[in-house]
Amino acid sequence: MSALKKTDSQIYELIKDEEKRQKDVLEMIPSENYTSRAVMETLGSVLTNKYSEGYPRKRYYQGNEVIDSVEEIAQERAKKLFGVPYVNVQPYSGSPANAAIYMSILKPGQKLMGLALAHGGHITHGLEVVGFSGTFYKTAHYTVNKKTRQLDYDEVERQVLAEKPDLLICGFTAYSRIIDWARFRKIADKVGCFLMADMSHITGLVIGGVHPSPVPYTDVVMTTTHKTLRGPRGAMIMITDRGIKKDAEWPRRLNTAVFPGLQGGPHDNQTAAIAVALKEAATPAFKKYAEQIVKNARALADGLMARGYEVVSGGTDNHLVLVDLQNKKMSGKIAAEALEAAGIILNYNLVPYDPMPPMYTSGIRMGTPALTTRGLKEIQMEKIADWMDRALREVNGFVLSDNKDERTEQMKKYRLAIAENKNLAKIAQEIKQFITKYPVP
């Protein structure tokens, strides 16, 4: 990075600071991961200089012979890896990819239905008011069982039959159990609607064989290309054989929805980096990696439950762990900030039937993809659970008021206390000494 250092030392130093931060902490946000050096090199290549509106062999710009080959390789690798007849690798990220799917299926005012946000769904799966999906379409949501906090498929079926959506979405962002794609198919067929899987979080696990694939059961699949896939930030849309059989013109409409419907020229460096990540994911080593992600998540969940923490649904089958802190009388926001001071990076998150508002929450969400990339295994998860417990005990009694104005003032006081807490700083130093033994790719 010598050229950057010479041209813009300010940005260079910030990048070096971020590089150091990523090396010195436990990165446990389940949607974050470390890419390989090969993916990073591809992102920083000359491909970023090209403009390629359109699709391979049908561009609106000249000079795309090489770019066409890059995109075709990405498409073919995805088709082979997932067993699908159609894929679009151009979406900039997951949210516009979901928007393109909706645009290709629904007319404004038609209804889509996904898992409620507080129960593990995603903002693009029908959130009203602030979400685009709730702005242009009618929305409805199904929920998890209040007691088990897992999907009760009989109840989901009842809710879906009552709402009769035109599009049913399965695949989640904060749900830690195996998804029964076949049951969702049966439910969708009873309504006569399209069935979409958003498998962004679990794609690497599907490739690795530790989570069933939605491809045989759904009409269309969206995935981001980072998270457990360990590629660049981006997304792919795949129409399955079932989807093509339902509507042979769908691929054409979906291509049009992506471009020119929602975005301009693709980011060719991103497309190429996706192709690299897909090649890496097709190896036996990646299968072992996916298996270890799940082993680590289960070990982490067990370690936290042994220390008295309530893990939502009683455990995990995938890469993430969602913890409800209500029994600790603690806000997820305070917990996340205290853990960050201790060198543990995760996010505060709503839990099912959460009494707290979204900016504070009762829960924290964590995952093991990035830690597994660095080579950590089950025995280290026990150590991490202990560090988390030590850190959270430092903010016992940091209770937030129900009054919004009082909460704001309390947070100022609590943040100052967290920043000055020497025990949290000590844990951060212990973690730094520990984690640097496990290099970032």
Side-chain angles (χ1 to χ4, degrees):
M1 294 173 60
S2 58
L4 175 61
K5 185 176 182 180
K6 183 178 180 180
T7 302
D8 193 333
S9 61
Q10 187 177 15
I11 294 298
Y12 170 82
E13 291 298 337
L14 287 172
I15 291 174
K16 298 305 287 185
D17 287 346
E18 174 61 12
E19 182 180 29
K20 184 177 185 303
R21 185 199 69 81
Q22 290 185 19
K23 288 180 178 179
D24 291 348
V25 300
L26 300 177
E27 288 285 2
M28 295 176 63
I29 295 174
S31 50
E32 292 186 356
N33 210 332
Y34 300 100
T35 69
S36 69
R37 182 172 293 275
V39 168
M40 296 282 270
E41 287 178 356
T42 309
L43 282 170
S45 70
V46 297
L47 298 181
T48 195
N49 298 335
K50 193 68 189 87
Y51 219 89
S52 314
E53 283 188 354
Y55 290 94
R57 317 302 164 184
K58 297 178 181 179
R59 305 287 187 180
Y60 291 85
Y61 287 73
Q62 300 309 116
N64 276 297
E65 182 178 355
V66 173
I67 298 302
D68 285 350
S69 295
V70 166
E71 186 166 338
E72 287 168 344
I73 287 171
Q75 290 173 341
E76 291 308 311
R77 287 177 180 174
K79 288 177 183 179
K80 182 177 180 180
L81 196 58
F82 295 102
V84 293
Y86 161 92
V87 63
N88 189 309
V89 296
Q90 290 193 10
Y92 297 155
S93 62
S95 292
N98 280 343
I101 292 171
Y102 304 162
M103 184 181 289
S104 72
I105 296 174
L106 305 173
K107 295 177 181 178
Q110 287 191 296
K111 185 183 288 187
L112 60 88
M113 188 173 187
L115 182 62
L117 181 65
H119 294 232
H122 191 261
I123 192 171
T124 61
H125 296 175
L127 185 66
E128 298 90 347
V129 186
V130 297
F132 74 82
S133 54
T135 301
F136 296 105
Y137 307 103
K138 293 179 182 177
T139 62
H141 299 99
Y142 52 92
T143 57
V144 298
N145 181 277
K146 197 165 188 176
K147 184 177 180 180
T148 66
R149 296 204 274 188
Q150 296 188 38
L151 290 170
D152 178 333
Y153 289 93
D154 289 338
E155 179 61 16
V156 171
E157 180 175 312
R158 187 196 67 77
Q159 293 170 345
V160 173
L161 289 174
E163 293 291 344
K164 295 182 173 56
D166 300 285
L167 171 64
L168 178 61
I169 304 167
C170 49
F172 317 113
T173 190
Y175 185 74
S176 63
R177 294 302 185 175
I178 294 292
I179 302 168
D180 188 343
W181 310 113
R183 185 63 193 278
F184 269 112
R185 177 76 263 166
K186 291 179 180 178
I187 294 170
D189 285 345
K190 286 190 175 182
V191 179
C193 68
F194 286 94
L195 181 63
M196 166 189 161
D198 182 339
M199 67 171 185
S200 296
H201 268 267
I202 57 171
T203 298
L205 308 184
V206 169
I207 292 169
V210 288
H211 191 291
S213 171
V215 169
Y217 306 101
T218 57
D219 302 310
V220 62
V221 178
M222 194 287 291
T223 180
T224 51
T225 49
H226 42 294
K227 301 186 176 82
T228 53
L229 182 53
R230 209 160 50 177
R233 298 294 299 273
M236 300 186 296
I237 302 169
M238 295 171 277
I239 298 179
T240 66
D241 286 313
R242 184 186 289 271
I244 298 289
K245 185 177 180 181
K246 181 174 289 188
D247 186 348
E249 288 297 306
W250 193 359
R252 181 190 58 77
R253 291 201 315 275
L254 224 165
N255 278 352
T256 302
V258 173
F259 169 82
L262 288 164
Q263 62 188 50
H267 299 164
D268 298 317
N269 57 329
Q270 173 182 294
T271 302
I274 289 171
V276 174
L278 291 170
K279 184 174 183 179
E280 293 173 344
T283 63
F286 191 89
K287 185 178 189 299
K288 291 181 180 178
Y289 166 69
E291 292 169 352
Q292 192 61 51
I293 287 174
V294 177
K295 290 177 183 177
N296 285 349
R298 285 174 171 161
L300 179 63
D302 289 344
L304 290 169
M305 288 189 289
R307 289 164 174 80
Y309 293 90
E310 183 183 347
V311 172
V312 173
S313 83
T316 182
D317 298 323
N318 58 25
H319 66 302
L320 69 83
V321 179
L322 184 63
V323 174
D324 187 340
L325 294 167
Q326 290 183 76
N327 70 328
K328 300 289 185 179
K329 296 182 171 55
M330 188 181 300
S331 158
K333 177 66 172 172
I334 291 172
E337 295 199 10
L339 289 165
E340 182 175 12
I344 301 169
I345 310 301
L346 42 69
N347 65 282
Y348 58 100
N349 207 93
L350 291 167
V351 297
Y353 306 99
D354 201 328
M356 293 292 285
M359 283 304 296
Y360 293 95
T361 79
S362 297
I364 51 175
R365 184 187 72 150
M366 66 209 75
T368 55
L371 295 179
T372 307
T373 295
R374 294 184 75 163
L376 276 69
K377 295 191 175 179
E378 295 97 315
I379 190 169
Q380 286 85 28
M381 296 303 112
E382 174 68 16
K383 192 174 186 70
I384 290 170
D386 192 58
W387 271 321
M388 291 181 67
D389 183 43
R390 282 173 56 193
L392 292 175
R393 281 191 268 120
E394 293 297 319
V395 288
N396 271 345
F398 285 30
V399 179
L400 288 174
S401 169
D402 292 332
N403 181 277
K404 183 178 179 181
D405 293 331
E406 289 179 5
R407 274 202 307 264
T408 301
E409 291 305 310
Q410 286 174 326
M411 281 303 301
K412 291 178 182 177
K413 181 178 70 172
Y414 293 154
R415 284 195 179 107
L416 182 61
I418 288 169
E420 295 176 345
N421 188 298
K422 293 181 179 179
N423 288 332
L424 292 175
K426 182 182 178 183
I427 295 170
Q429 190 58 36
E430 291 175 17
I431 286 173
K432 179 180 177 181
Q433 292 174 353
F434 162 79
I435 197 60
T436 50
K437 298 173 186 175
Y438 300 89
V440 172

